[in-house]
Amino acid sequence: LIMKTKISFLAVSLFLLFTQSALATKLVEVKIIDKDYLMVSFKDGDVEFVDDGLGDDAHTAAHQTSNNYTVLYGDPLNTGNAAMEGNWVLKSSDDSNFGTTGLPAANSYRKSKINGLAEMDWGAGDWNYEYTKEHHIILELSHSMTGGKTYTLEINSNTNTDSTSETFTFDIFNKRSEAIHLNLVGFLADSSIKAADLYYWMGDGGARNYSTFEGNTVYVYNISTQQSIPVSTVTFGQNKATETDGRYMIQSDVWHADFTGFFTPGTYRIAIE
């Protein structure tokens, strides 16, 4: 009887823990922007669509509310707590600058947007809509990370995250950075211009200033051989300027990582020191 009581209590405890973690905004990923910045992405929910080709109205323009629906993961990200630097602590067992105690973020910035829109029943002159959001928290670190070192980001549960810890290695050749912008089609191997842009907009933190990266080495990394080839250095491109319809679309100055003189065909990554 005592053993049954203990097992039942354990089962209830595990169920409560699972329920609490499930009813929270979803931690999607932790990305390295550069040696001084991380981006932590969350989803409060998603909009799902039914597209199975079944039913009498499957090939008509008839509106069916059930053909799209909102999935909420629980409590949304607490953006107020996410803005508090002390709720983000970066630790490391092999980088003494952070240590196992860790350092809180120096600054926390945010950019949020709608990531799903469901068209529901007709309302007062328009359809009613449900929507979900995604959030990207940009953390300025208290100290630069070091290549090859492993780090763990600890997140305070008061942000409403479903996961409070994420471990990663700082590796410029194998971790994708959203600050490096490339032609998605690829490049000809001939003498045509080949270059990547370096910039990053941090939401309410404004644009990342990469002026200290000028002169840093630009590498072409061969995925097959895992060899890195230095090809140039970072140079300043141009100041923030208006684009389509007079708007500032990227909200940032731009730096260039040129590799025009590289001619060998293959599959590569561009990496910046």
Side-chain angles (χ1 to χ4, degrees):
L1 180 60
I2 294 175
M3 181 60 72
K4 287 183 178 179
T5 302
K6 288 183 178 179
I7 292 174
S8 298
F9 178 74
L10 178 61
V12 171
S13 298
L14 289 174
F15 175 76
L16 288 173
L17 289 172
F18 174 78
T19 303
Q20 288 173 349
S21 64
L23 298 178
T25 187
K26 180 187 291 187
L27 174 61
V28 177
E29 62 181 339
V30 175
K31 273 189 175 181
I32 297 168
I33 301 302
D34 55 56
K35 64 185 177 64
D36 296 311
Y37 286 85
L38 295 176
M39 182 184 76
V40 191
S41 297
F42 297 91
K43 279 186 179 181
D44 292 338
D46 280 293
V47 171
E48 302 290 346
F49 298 89
V50 178
D51 190 18
D52 53 14
L54 302 177
D56 295 336
D57 65 329
H59 306 289
T60 72
H63 173 78
Q64 291 290 333
T65 300
S66 59
N67 284 341
N68 57 188
Y69 56 95
T70 304
V71 178
L72 297 176
Y73 299 129
D75 293 332
L77 180 73
N78 187 316
T79 55
N81 289 338
M84 299 175 65
E85 292 83 0
N87 286 332
W88 312 88
V89 176
L90 193 64
K91 303 177 179 180
S92 177
S93 60
D94 56 2
D95 185 345
S96 59
N97 291 315
F98 291 88
T100 55
T101 301
L103 295 175
N107 284 295
S108 174
Y109 308 116
R110 177 172 60 90
K111 50 185 179 182
S112 300
K113 66 178 182 179
I114 292 174
N115 70 313
L117 192 67
E119 188 177 76
M120 311 309 291
D121 293 324
W122 185 259
D126 196 359
W127 300 104
N128 291 315
Y129 292 93
E130 294 180 357
Y131 62 89
T132 54
K133 286 183 179 181
E134 63 182 55
H135 309 274
H136 305 283
I137 305 300
I138 297 90
L139 302 176
E140 182 181 358
L141 306 178
S142 296
H143 198 283
S144 297
M145 294 182 290
T146 301
K149 304 296 184 181
T150 299
Y151 302 87
T152 298
L153 180 65
E154 300 288 351
I155 309 170
N156 196 314
S157 60
N158 67 13
T159 59
N160 291 341
T161 177
D162 67 339
S163 178
T164 57
S165 181
E166 187 77 13
T167 299
F168 58 91
T169 300
F170 180 42
D171 180 355
I172 66 170
F173 300 108
N174 293 290
K175 298 294 185 181
R176 180 180 295 177
S177 170
E178 292 200 354
I180 301 176
H181 304 263
L182 272 169
N183 173 1
L184 297 179
V185 178
F187 300 87
L188 295 174
D190 61 18
S191 60
S192 59
I193 294 174
K194 307 179 190 72
D197 289 335
L198 176 64
Y199 65 87
Y200 187 69
W201 182 67
M202 304 187 296
D204 57 11
R208 169 76 162 106
N209 185 347
Y210 279 110
S211 60
T212 59
F213 278 59
E214 292 176 28
N216 283 18
T217 304
V218 177
Y219 298 95
V220 170
Y221 179 80
N222 188 312
I223 293 176
S224 299
T225 64
Q226 299 184 358
Q227 292 181 324
S228 58
I229 306 166
V231 288
S232 69
T233 59
V234 175
T235 58
F236 181 73
Q238 67 178 61
N239 293 316
K240 179 176 71 173
T242 57
E243 300 168 69
T244 304
D245 197 28
R247 301 177 186 273
Y248 292 97
M249 305 299 289
I250 66 173
Q251 296 286 334
S252 178
D253 296 342
V254 176
W255 286 260
H256 286 164
D258 193 282
F259 53 104
T260 299
F262 189 81
F263 305 122
T264 307
T267 303
Y268 302 90
R269 297 170 182 158
I270 296 299
I272 295 176
E273 178 190 4

